[in-house]
Amino acid sequence: MKMTKQEYGEYIKTKSPDSPFGRDLLLAFVVGGLICCVGQALYALYTRLGLDRDTAGTAMSVTLVFLGTFFTGLGLYDRLAKYAGAGTLVPITGFANSVAAPAMEFKTEGFITGMAAKMFIIAGPVIVFGLSASVIYGIVLLIIKSF
């Protein structure tokens, strides 16, 4: 069956349900905001316990990564992501999920060739482009400051 691009586009429109854009946007905003509020509450807790600002920030980040990984292991983070969409991807917990989920999926292939090799299959490009962008920004900042 041969179809033109326009015919294929029309076919897909008839088979795809409409996305409730406003609802999805609101859910992403609310859930992402709630995750960030949990982070802020952890930061306040750690500073109240006597940690200095830098150490409290580090402890909060480590706790959020742990919680994201823990809830991914329980299968709860993926369920939340189906409901909240991008709201779960943006915070640091989304990064933890992107590392833990492939590791769990490929653990049956063994520790080295499965879990260790596939762990960064999703997060790897984020790390590479994030580091590359930071190097470029650093060079630009260095050039600007030298003038």
Side-chain angles (χ1 to χ4, degrees), residues 28-97:
F29 178 78
V30 169
V31 172
L34 286 174
I35 291 171
C36 293
C37 286
V38 168
Q40 189 63 39
L42 287 169
Y43 179 79
L45 173 70
Y46 289 137
T47 55
R48 189 175 278 280
L49 291 174
L51 297 178
D52 64 88
R53 293 171 59 113
D54 289 339
T55 308
T58 301
M60 179 262 310
S61 296
V62 168
T63 304
L64 286 175
V65 167
F66 169 77
L67 289 174
T69 306
F70 181 72
F71 289 129
T72 297
L74 295 177
L76 298 175
Y77 202 86
D78 292 335
R79 278 198 252 161
L80 179 64
K82 286 179 184 174
Y83 177 71
T88 59
L89 299 177
V90 177
I92 194 169
T93 54
F95 183 77
N97 174 264

